[in-house]
Amino acid sequence: MNINEMEHLSGVTSQNIRFYEKKGLICPTRNSSNNYRNYSDKDLTALKTIRLLRKLGLSLEDIGKILSEEMSLHTTLEQHLHLLENRQKELTASIGICKSLLHTAPESFDVDETLAEMEAIEQNGGKFMSIIQDYKKFVAAESKKHFSFKPDSMVLNSSEFAEALYQYADENQLNLVITKQGMYPAFELDGTAYTASRSFDRFGATIHCTLAEPDNLDNIPAKRKRIFRFIHGPYLLMILTFLVMAISRQSIGWTFLVAVVLFPYLWWMFSGFR
């Protein structure tokens, strides 16, 4: 393909195509008879990829590392997402301050007070977003620790066990590699290691899958993870129910016991957020 065809197919202007060539992002060959550039399907795919990633706001340096496989697309996008989230917090703070200033008379505008308010919004927003992001990671990790499914067969031998696992992976569009055959097989699901077992009930066989190394699934601080487990489990509901019952009975003794024992414990637990 020549440059005009590339411009039409990729949606990238000829000026930018030449610019990306100078940057080493694409490497067309030269026609020996007229020295014109010849572009391949690989160049076309690279241009479309550059166009997409530029729309997402990635730098040409990062795009070059992706195209040269110096960095993986997944890793680069994770880093870029973190930057976008930080930028979003800054924009949220700016929008809030702008709205506030629109309702402030010019003669009462205080620069120092406004700066202090904006810094407080950014700091609080950063801490809150950090907790939210960690909780999302925690929930995702917890959902991966254990899962069960009903196979189509009774799973009476290792071959049927392997077939059931492959069928589950295929139905859920997951990549499965069995590392150990048998009635207690080991396997990797999208690169995460699991072990499996089988049980029976009135409806047939059930396959139970358990994460091989559950503690390596996330990098959430231990204290924060502890409070997430508390919130995510049944304990918080049990304690709140106990508290409501104690207060509803109007028992001074029960209420005092809850206040003395429960509240310091909750304070200690929630200190894990810091």
Side-chain angles (χ1 to χ4, degrees):
M1 291 171 282
N2 59 38
I3 194 167
N4 291 329
E5 291 171 321
M6 287 292 285
E7 182 177 22
H8 173 71
L9 293 172
S10 67
V12 179
T13 65
S14 57
Q15 292 90 343
N16 279 341
I17 293 174
R18 294 189 182 95
F19 175 73
Y20 295 147
E21 182 184 350
K22 290 180 181 178
K23 290 291 183 179
L25 301 178
I26 57 173
C27 300
T29 59
R30 291 278 184 173
N31 190 316
S32 57
S33 60
N34 54 24
N35 204 34
Y36 287 174
R37 295 175 178 84
N38 285 332
Y39 297 92
S40 64
D41 290 335
K42 182 179 179 181
D43 294 323
L44 178 60
T45 301
L47 279 176
K48 289 181 177 179
T49 302
I50 294 169
R51 184 184 174 197
L52 169 63
L53 297 179
R54 287 297 287 163
K55 283 182 177 291
L56 293 177
L58 268 74
S59 66
L60 288 179
E61 181 181 1
D62 286 341
I63 294 173
K65 291 179 180 179
I66 292 171
L67 294 177
S68 64
E69 299 183 350
E70 183 179 343
M71 289 184 64
S72 71
L73 176 63
H74 186 272
T75 301
T76 308
L77 287 178
E78 274 191 336
Q79 295 174 355
H80 186 62
L81 177 60
H82 182 67
L83 291 174
L84 290 177
E85 288 171 343
N86 287 336
R87 195 177 304 164
Q88 182 183 39
K89 288 181 289 186
E90 293 172 359
L91 289 173
T92 300
S94 298
I95 291 171
I97 295 297
C98 285
K99 288 181 178 179
S100 176
L101 291 177
L102 283 173
H103 296 86
T104 302
E107 60 273 12
S108 60
F109 173 58
D110 189 321
V111 176
D112 293 332
E113 181 181 346
T114 304
L115 282 172
E117 181 183 355
M118 192 165 187
E119 289 172 359
I121 291 174
E122 290 174 345
Q123 290 174 1
N124 293 333
K127 184 182 295 184
F128 177 75
M129 288 302 296
S130 172
I131 293 172
I132 292 298
Q133 292 303 322
D134 277 352
Y135 186 68
K136 286 181 179 179
K137 288 193 292 184
F138 172 80
V139 172
E142 288 296 304
S143 67
K144 290 182 178 181
K145 284 185 177 180
H146 310 281
F147 66 90
S148 302
F149 65 93
K150 286 284 187 182
D152 292 338
S153 68
M154 295 298 290
V155 193
L156 297 177
N157 53 56
S158 59
S159 297
E160 289 186 0
F161 212 139
E163 184 179 349
L165 291 173
Y166 279 118
Q167 182 178 350
Y168 174 84
D170 183 62
E171 290 174 353
N172 292 275
Q173 298 181 344
L174 300 169
N175 181 40
L176 181 137
V177 177
I178 295 180
T179 55
K180 176 188 172 184
Q181 294 275 358
M183 298 307 292
Y184 295 91
F187 62 94
E188 292 184 357
L189 206 58
D190 278 354
T192 303
Y194 287 88
T195 58
S197 61
R198 174 205 58 177
S199 67
F200 292 101
D201 55 32
R202 69 177 70 180
F203 300 107
T206 301
I207 293 178
H208 306 277
C209 303
T210 305
L211 197 66
E213 298 179 356
D215 293 334
N216 295 335
L217 201 58
D218 55 58
N219 57 352
I220 302 171
K223 289 184 178 180
R224 189 171 289 185
K225 191 183 296 185
R226 185 171 65 242
I227 190 65
F228 288 157
R229 287 201 180 99
F230 178 78
I231 295 172
H232 203 61
Y235 309 108
L236 182 60
L237 180 60
M238 291 169 59
I239 291 174
L240 290 177
T241 302
F242 177 68
L243 176 61
V244 171
M245 289 174 62
I247 295 174
S248 64
R249 290 180 180 179
Q250 298 180 352
S251 169
I252 297 176
W254 278 106
T255 306
F256 178 77
L257 179 64
V258 170
V260 170
V261 176
L262 175 61
F263 290 165
Y265 174 71
L266 288 177
W267 177 265
W268 173 73
M269 290 289 289
F270 276 91
S271 66
F273 274 134
R274 293 199 296 268

